[in-house]
Amino acid sequence: MLNGPNLNLLGTREPALYGRATLADIERRLADVGRELGVEVECAQHNGEGELVTAVQQLRGRADGALVNAGAYSHTSLAIRDAFAAAEVPFVEVHLTNIYAREPERRHSMLAPGARAVLCGFGAAGYELALRGLVAALRGDG
C-alpha cells in the first residue's frame, strides 16, 4: 500500500472530510486483513512525487499488486501512472472521499486509466475493500 502527500496527517487533517482513523490505524487493519487472506502487506507513505515514483518502481518483481492513494498527485501525475506501467504491477486506486463529489479539479484521475479498479468514498474502510478486491482479482476470483 502506497500513500501520498498529507496522508500521514490522517486523523487530524480535516477529520470531518477524511475521518478520524490515522494512517497507522489503516495499516494495522490492512495487516489483519492480509493475514486473513494469506497475503503479505507492506505500507509506505511519501509526500514527494519522486519518492512515490521510486517506491512504485521498487515493486517490480517483488509485489503481485498494490493499493495506492496518491492523494493530490492522483489528479496530476503521469509520472506515477507511468511508473506503474513500467513496473508491470496491477494496482487499485483508493480515495477516502468520493472524488467525483468534490471540487472539479479532483474529479479526474491521471492514475485511473492504468488502474485495475478505483475505489472512493468509503473512508478508511475503502482500503480493506480494495485489498479484498485486488486479492480476489489476482486469484482469478473477481
Side-chain angles (χ1 to χ4, degrees):
M1 174 182 77
L2 297 175
N3 283 282
N6 300 310
L7 291 161
N8 55 310
L9 302 176
L10 287 177
T12 60
R13 175 187 174 216
E14 300 178 83
L17 187 60
Y18 296 109
R20 297 234 177 255
T22 66
L23 188 55
D25 295 335
I26 292 169
E27 290 174 349
R28 278 191 294 276
R29 182 65 190 136
L30 276 186
D32 292 343
V33 172
R35 280 189 289 280
E36 174 191 328
L37 298 174
V39 299
E40 184 180 337
V41 177
E42 294 179 14
C43 302
Q45 185 275 329
H46 301 285
N47 286 315
E49 183 178 22
E51 295 169 306
L52 284 167
V53 168
T54 298
V56 171
Q57 291 173 352
Q58 291 172 344
L59 297 175
R60 185 181 179 98
R62 52 177 288 277
D64 295 321
L67 306 182
V68 61
N69 181 345
Y73 292 132
S74 302
H75 315 292
T76 62
S77 184
L78 286 172
I80 295 171
R81 185 174 80 197
D82 289 350
F84 272 110
E88 298 179 327
V89 174
F91 68 96
V92 174
E93 181 180 354
V94 180
H95 294 282
L96 294 158
T97 64
N98 178 355
I99 62 172
Y100 302 103
R102 296 201 49 199
E103 307 92 332
E105 61 272 17
R106 294 184 191 270
R107 294 179 192 160
H108 177 77
S109 168
M110 298 301 282
L111 303 182
R116 171 89 165 120
V118 177
L119 200 145
C120 64
F122 286 106
Y127 286 90
E128 177 183 339
L129 296 168
L131 180 60
R132 291 181 184 282
L134 180 59
V135 169
L138 292 173
R139 289 180 175 163
D141 299 334

